Amino acid sequence: MQLSSRLTQINGGGSDGWDLFVRAREMIRDGTPVTELTIGEHDIRTDPSILDAMHRAGLAGNTGYTEFSGMRALRETVAARVEAATGTRTTPDNVLIVPGGQSSLYAAHYAALGEGDTGLFIDPYYATYPGTIRSVGAKAHPIAASADAQFQPDAASIDAAAKDTGAKSLLVNSPNNPTGVIYSDDTLQGIAEVCQDNDLWLISDEVYDTQVWTGAHKSPRALPGMAERTLVVGSMSKSHAMTGSRIGWLIGPEDVTASIGDLTMNTTYGVCGFIQEGALFALNQGAAFEETIAAPFRRRRDLVLKQIAAQNVVRAIPADGAMYVMLDIRATGMSGEAFGNLLLDTHHVAVMPGESFGAAAAGHIRLALTVDDAKLEEALAKLLSLAAEQAK
Ligand code: PMP
């Protein structure tokens, strides 16, 4: 039997640049001690108090089907949180609870793009972006944000791509994975203007909104004229170390969230009730709790920048937010992939090659700040000595 082309084309063919990650996992399985700085998973687990809240809710009987759009109390809490953070009026009817940020990305693109439409996204990008756009039957079109412009998206390039392709949506992400960059006010303003000029849906992935080290996170939904065309992707994976609970949200105009309810009914059929109770409990712990979860990444980012400042071969991209630091290793004359593979073989340190996040990040590598401070410092020292050797 033949599979649909929509399914078989999700991964777009070709190498996805994740070979190094797979190889590192195999080495670990075979007993080699590898320092893993690849994926964005916290080195702590979900706080026991959140698990207790889930347990209590389950024992109290919250184990049945739930409202498709999410528990009213949770939608109210998310709406209040978003309104407080952005100053933009947000009601529970603007909020849809979904199983994780990835599910929200899918729902947003499903709402914005028809079969054969084009969805724009910024390169370098989070691994699933092109596949998510293709999974709704649309064409995924990357727009390079250049390393020389510190990976800030360029409004003129987005405008040109929108006009060229007749695109219907633009996906952006700040704080950014993989670069750690936070979009400047000018970048956000430029994006808003391009969306309005070209009648684009803006899909704003804000899953790292609690991991901000310098400056401030600003949601483009708050800019004039943007609330009616912006779909915000939110998640508790990063903010509350709840990756495995699969809980997040989509914020959008009321008619859009109501329509996406039809998609939910015919796909996930809602989100597990006791997980939602755990999420509600977690959000009610307030900003101080979120800062505790973010603190190790802030501390490790400072450690990395200090070590980088003590040499002059490897350069750090301004790491304003998110749990990653992107390093420019072009002075070694190597690709990110070649350097990453050599680092894994010679020093048993695994990082993500920039190329796995798109052509714009060639000659870079990404560190996930997800091991303890001493291990991270040791791994970075090895990385820097290898880079110095190669640059000779
Ligand atoms: N967006 C970005 C930029 C991410 O890095 C991730 C996870 N690494 C997601 C969305 C999806 O996260 P989740 O589905 O766990 O909420």
Side-chain angles (χ1 to χ4, degrees), residues 100-102 105 126 129 173 177 205 207-208 235 237-238 246 324:
Q102 182 54 45
L105 282 165
Y126 169 52
Y129 282 2
N173 170 222
N177 176 13
D205 180 343
V207 305
Y208 292 98
S235 170
S237 286
K238 312 295 173 178
R246 311 310 305 134
Y324 313 99

Side-chain angles (χ1 to χ4, degrees), residues 353-365:
E355 292 82 3
S356 61
F357 305 106
H364 290 70
I365 53 171

Side-chain angles (χ1 to χ4, degrees), residues 161-184:
K163 293 199 160 63
D164 251 22
T165 60
K168 297 272 170 54
S169 68
L170 168 67
L171 170 57
V172 296
N173 170 222
S174 176
N176 187 271
N177 176 13
T179 63
V181 164
I182 291 183
Y183 294 176
S184 70

Side-chain angles (χ1 to χ4, degrees), residues 240-252:
H240 293 78
M242 289 176 71
T243 50
S245 292
R246 311 310 305 134
I247 183 121
W249 52 80
L250 182 144
I251 311 287

